[in-house]
Amino acid sequence: MYFCTSNLRIMSKIIYNKFDKQLINSLPVAQFEGRIIVVLSPGEARRAVDFLLAQPILGFDTETRPSFKRGAQHKAALLQVSTETICFLFRLNYLGLTPDLVRLLEDTTVTKIGLSWHDDLNALHKLGDFKTGHFIDIQDLVRQVGIEDMSLQKLYANLFGQKICKRQQLSNWEADVLNDKQKLYAATDAWACINIYKEIVNLRKSNNYKIIIKEENNEADKS
């Protein structure tokens, strides 16, 4: 959404400190339209990591099989890493944390973006030891333009007027074969991190936005 200033006639983007969750369902759906590659073997992981570390920017996310029993927890089953056009889905429940995945996670040269990434790192550290490389957490970045929401869905709706569908979030990420909906969901979440990062960087650089303060929505959803 944009508004036009009366003096300079410059179109500026309107964003909200807190986006109304009730508006999200009416928005058009955003989804990854690039190539999705499922990685199942150490050799495939090595080739994927070689490719990814040659890219300028990467979006990261993880998925874990949900537990519906009190106190029960599963290990991270999927690591999704996306460029703007290709997303690799590393099936951690088959691979574990291979040396090449450690190499990717320890890298300090490529711009790597996640959301609530501290939680994902904790899950990944349970699979093996590694020294965390350079990552940027979107939740830290959006505060710099006055946005208080922390969830990917609200952030994307706020910045792009589109909906990230979360229906597959509680599906079985340890299934023998991931279905197409799961793969698309996983890829979209990682890819969306890149889009949000680039948009926030552009807004900060241009200062061409207006923040509207809304106090009635106090949710702290982090999904």
Side-chain angles (χ1 to χ4, degrees), residues 20-220:
D20 187 349
K21 189 173 184 178
Q22 295 182 352
L23 298 177
I24 293 177
N25 285 336
S26 65
L27 299 176
V29 174
Q31 61 185 26
F32 181 67
E33 296 183 353
R35 184 182 178 192
I36 301 174
I37 301 174
V38 178
V39 180
L40 292 166
S41 73
E44 291 173 346
R46 182 181 65 253
R47 291 188 291 273
V49 170
D50 287 344
F51 172 82
L52 289 167
L53 289 180
Q55 307 308 307
I57 187 169
L58 301 172
F60 279 69
D61 196 17
T62 67
E63 304 298 339
T64 301
R65 177 185 174 185
S67 175
F68 301 104
K69 291 184 178 180
R70 184 183 298 273
Q73 289 185 326
H74 298 287
K75 294 182 178 180
L78 189 72
L79 170 66
Q80 55 263 48
V81 186
S82 185
T83 71
E84 295 185 77
T85 58
I86 302 175
C87 185
F88 292 89
L89 307 183
F90 297 92
R91 299 216 59 192
L92 300 176
N93 54 316
Y94 290 117
L95 285 166
L97 208 58
T98 71
D100 290 291
L101 284 174
V102 169
R103 178 163 58 99
L104 176 64
L105 293 168
E106 291 186 337
D107 172 75
T108 60
T109 62
V110 179
T111 300
K112 298 186 288 296
I113 315 299
L115 184 139
S116 190
W117 188 241
H118 177 76
D119 295 335
D120 293 284
L121 283 174
N122 284 340
L124 292 170
H125 275 294
K126 292 178 181 179
L127 298 177
D129 293 329
F130 61 91
K131 183 179 179 180
T132 303
H134 177 61
F135 286 87
I136 297 171
D137 195 319
I138 290 171
Q139 291 184 341
D140 296 328
L141 199 64
V142 297
R143 294 187 180 97
Q144 298 174 15
V145 294
I147 295 176
E148 300 175 36
D149 287 323
M150 294 290 105
S151 78
L152 183 72
Q153 190 178 60
K154 285 187 177 182
L155 290 172
Y156 211 87
N158 195 353
L159 292 169
F160 299 104
Q162 294 179 306
K163 172 186 174 181
I164 299 287
C165 184
K166 307 300 289 185
R167 291 178 183 173
Q168 297 300 314
Q169 185 176 27
L170 297 180
S171 61
N172 181 11
W173 295 103
E174 294 180 8
D176 290 340
V177 178
L178 297 179
N179 62 46
D180 289 343
K181 290 182 179 180
Q182 286 178 302
K183 288 186 283 187
L184 182 58
Y185 168 89
T188 297
D189 273 11
W191 162 80
C193 288
I194 297 176
N195 293 345
I196 293 172
Y197 169 78
K198 292 178 67 175
E199 183 68 7
I200 294 296
V201 169
N202 287 337
L203 291 178
R204 290 183 63 205
K205 183 177 180 180
S206 67
N207 201 32
N208 192 25
Y209 65 94
K210 179 179 179 181
I211 184 81
I212 294 179
I213 305 300
K214 299 180 68 176
E215 297 294 345
E216 64 273 15
N217 183 357
N218 295 314
E219 296 182 4

